[in-house]
Amino acid sequence: MASAAFTVSSPAASAVATRSKVLRGGKGEARTGCRVGITRKNFSRVMMAVAVDISRFEGVPMAPPDPILGVSEAFRADKNDLKLNLGVGAYRTEELQPYVLNVVKKAENLMLEKGENKEYLPIEGLAAFNKATAELLFGADNPVIKQGRVATLQSLSGTGSLRLAAAFIQRYFPEAKVLISSPTWGNHKNIFNDARVPWSEYRYYDPKTVGLDFEGMIADIQAAPDGSFVLLHGCAHNPTGIDPTPEQWEKIADVIQEKKHMPFFDVAYQGFASGSLDEDASSVRLFVERGLEVFVAQSYSKNLGLYAERIGAINVVCSAPEVANRVKSQLKRLARPMYSNPPIHGARIVANVVGDPVMFGEWKQEMEEMAGRIKNVRQKLYDSLSAKDKSGKDWSFILRQIGMFSYTGLNKTQSDNMTDKWHIYMTKDGRISLAGLSLAKCEYLADAIIDSFHNIS
Ligand code: PLA
């Protein structure tokens, strides 16, 4: 720890020590951190005239690694050739290499040719992006767009958009709580905690059926105080890969409407669940068609592979254009002191791809290919598990799950075994990212899962 050169018992003493710049060696010799030119050897002298930095951070404990992004750090440190990173939901090629979409490269080349400048964007982001992103989500012909009832702000990808919405909830609905699914994407809880928005969970996953606990979900949404915010995954629920059916979505909308709750969608995988952008937005559109006011956070990390560009948006569908203007003005007011204005590069890529019919078509095709590759490894994993596991266990739940992930049902100890023995990196809730799996690695993964499932309790 590069903290203090000497052990000092109290802040007052440290202040005196720093001020006087005359310190005794001895007790603190083992510690480091003194200023230039002082070696450990010199420390043994009885008296020294040195300036010492006494850390003000003694009260700052080490934070635990992030349950998802921390897995990638551990993966990078592993030197074993067999290692496999199924932690973070990042798409890889069959060769397990990161993938930059061809259509993204094409759009970037065009941008370079045009020689666009790097001026600040307005607080709400790039106008062409905001138009494109709302149209992609709601459908260009949706009356809410035509009537100007959507407040759209480009923000820092899905996470930043959720965080901005959380700040808005905290400021304008201080009494409200947010209902989140159990389980959910781990960062949801952090986001609402940091924004000081109270939350509670609604039942979602039923380990007995390895499916949706629909009754439990409805009962919990019904039991929540009127006017709560209900966080819903638009498609490809993370981590379970289990989505409600269209009929179930209707019932969820009924209860939310009845209870005057506010639906709040997190759409981080549009196009990645079914391969179709429209189909994956159908849950959101259903709520909008009912005339409800709705929050929607969007991300282009996965569907356009723009992970590091931090491009996404927060959309708030309002009852009237005048309301949308007010809401937007307040979102801008929240964004300004947080990050001032959003980055331009990813916004231009999205605006160019969506705004150009040829590139839009190319994107949809590449997205289908990515979604298709994930479906293929999903099938192969299921086939390998079924062929290798002689216990008679039914692995078909893997085929019923959709999107990037499979929720294997492995517990923490079993997940630890996957990593410690098999060098397979995954989150401790038993989630594996199939987007990071190749056909060639399916058999190895199946062996690891069978070993962990049957031999570790
Ligand atoms: N919402 C959900 C449901 C997500 O799964 C993720 C990303 C996001 C929002 C935010 O993504 P963004 O900020 O990059 O737009 N979840 C990942 C990565 C893919 C992560 O944890 O940050 C995951 O592995 O779960």
Side-chain angles (χ1 to χ4, degrees):
M1 184 171 44
S3 53
F6 296 90
T7 307
V8 179
S9 55
S10 71
S14 79
V16 169
T18 308
R19 255 200 315 277
S20 73
K21 298 186 179 180
V22 178
L23 294 166
R24 262 168 220 285
K27 215 175 166 190
E29 281 174 15
R31 306 183 77 177
T32 56
C34 59
R35 281 201 187 134
V36 281
I38 307 297
T39 64
R40 274 165 192 272
K41 208 170 152 205
N42 293 346
F43 268 28
S44 62
R45 305 240 171 93
V46 177
M47 294 287 285
M48 286 186 303
V50 290
V52 174
D53 290 328
I54 304 296
S55 177
R56 301 287 300 276
F57 305 118
E58 287 303 326
V60 181
M62 182 62 81
D66 183 79
I68 298 176
L69 299 184
V71 173
S72 299
E73 287 170 32
F75 172 80
R76 278 192 284 273
D78 189 334
K79 300 282 172 267
N80 195 295
D81 287 342
L82 291 169
K83 69 177 181 174
L84 193 55
N85 188 4
L86 307 183
V88 70
Y91 183 82
R92 298 276 181 273
T93 61
E94 179 59 26
E95 292 71 39
L96 298 183
Q97 294 305 309
Y99 180 59
V100 180
L101 274 74
N102 294 323
V103 74
V104 167
K105 287 187 202 152
K106 190 169 165 179
E108 283 181 319
N109 283 335
L110 287 172
M111 284 155 58
L112 212 59
E113 276 169 26
K114 279 195 205 158
E116 284 161 324
N117 65 43
K118 302 283 186 193
E119 293 273 298
Y120 286 133
L121 278 177
I123 303 171
E124 71 256 46
L126 187 72
F129 166 81
N130 284 345
K131 181 175 182 301
T133 199
E135 289 182 358
L136 204 69
L137 182 63
F138 302 111
D141 295 331
N142 199 308
V144 291
I145 291 189
K146 300 222 149 120
Q147 295 158 7
R149 290 204 277 120
V150 189
T152 301
L153 230 87
Q154 178 194 334
S155 193
L156 306 182
S157 209
T159 308
S161 305
L162 289 160
R163 183 64 179 80
L164 197 58
F168 183 89
I169 294 170
Q170 194 273 336
R171 185 164 292 179
Y172 293 102
F173 300 87
E175 304 302 320
K177 80 171 175 182
V178 176
L179 298 179
I180 56 183
S181 63
S182 172
T184 193
W185 175 49
N187 215 19
H188 280 151
K189 293 177 184 173
N190 299 333
I191 288 168
F192 293 111
N193 282 343
D194 278 11
R196 296 175 199 284
V197 173
W199 53 267
S200 66
E201 294 181 308
Y202 60 83
R203 279 168 283 174
Y204 192 84
Y205 175 72
D206 182 354
K208 284 197 286 310
T209 61
V210 203
L212 180 64
D213 179 358
F214 185 62
E215 313 285 291
M217 178 183 186
I218 292 291
D220 291 346
I221 294 175
Q222 205 133 34
D226 285 13
S228 297
F229 285 70
V230 184
L231 189 66
L232 301 156
H233 298 223
C235 64
H237 183 272
N238 179 6
T240 66
I242 301 160
D243 284 354
T245 63
E247 297 73 38
Q248 288 171 331
W249 275 122
E250 292 282 356
K251 293 218 175 84
I252 295 165
D254 286 345
V255 184
I256 286 180
Q257 209 164 356
E258 197 183 293
K259 294 282 299 181
K260 299 188 170 43
H261 291 329
M262 179 76 83
F264 181 173
F265 279 95
D266 180 358
V267 177
Y269 300 94
Q270 191 181 354
F272 241 94
S274 66
S276 152
L277 285 163
D278 287 323
E279 206 175 312
D280 287 356
S282 58
S283 56
V284 172
R285 292 180 191 176
L286 179 153
F287 280 70
V288 171
E289 269 157 34
R290 287 181 175 223
L292 297 175
E293 295 188 306
V294 184
F295 277 72
V296 193
Q298 278 176 292
S299 162
Y300 290 91
S301 294
K302 273 69 73 173
N303 54 12
L304 255 176
L306 295 176
Y307 306 91
E309 298 297 351
R310 312 311 295 143
I311 177 68
I314 181 72
N315 301 267
V316 189
V317 179
C318 302
S319 60
E322 170 271 325
V323 183
N325 284 342
R326 278 189 281 119
V327 168
K328 187 167 176 173
S329 74
Q330 292 298 344
L331 286 169
K332 284 166 63 175
R333 192 183 185 186
L334 285 162
R336 171 68 170 143
M338 261 196 222
Y339 57 85
S340 192
N341 49 72
I344 200 162
H345 191 71
R348 280 195 183 128
I349 295 172
V350 176
N352 284 335
V353 170
V354 178
D356 178 285
V358 176
M359 283 199 277
F360 190 42
E362 287 168 2
W363 176 33
K364 287 202 269 196
Q365 202 181 326
E366 278 190 278
M367 201 156 39
E368 269 174 42
E369 281 162 21
M370 290 191 287
R373 198 189 81 73
I374 297 172
K375 280 185 192 148
N376 288 345
V377 288
R378 192 181 278 288
Q379 182 67 49
K380 175 93 191 278
L381 176 63
Y382 165 76
D383 292 344
S384 308
L385 283 165
S386 304
K388 285 169 180 279
D389 185 5
K390 306 297 177 206
S391 75
K393 179 177 162 58
D394 179 10
W395 294 97
S396 63
F397 66 87
I398 291 178
L399 295 180
R400 289 195 296 277
Q401 298 168 342
I402 59 165
M404 272 194 165
F405 302 108
S406 179
Y407 203 50
T408 59
L410 294 175
N411 63 27
K412 185 182 175 304
T413 328
Q414 292 165 334
S415 302
D416 283 341
N417 184 62
M418 295 283 287
T419 306
D420 299 344
K421 180 171 169 188
W422 296 85
H423 303 274
I424 294 173
Y425 288 79
M426 57 188 284
T427 53
K428 301 300 173 204
D429 56 0
R431 185 191 85 169
I432 52 174
S433 168
L434 297 179
L437 179 63
S438 61
L439 288 171
K441 292 274 188 182
C442 282
E443 302 236 343
Y444 179 72
L445 176 60
D447 287 335
I449 292 177
I450 291 167
D451 172 54
S452 306
F453 187 79
H454 291 300
N455 302 331
I456 309 287
S457 52

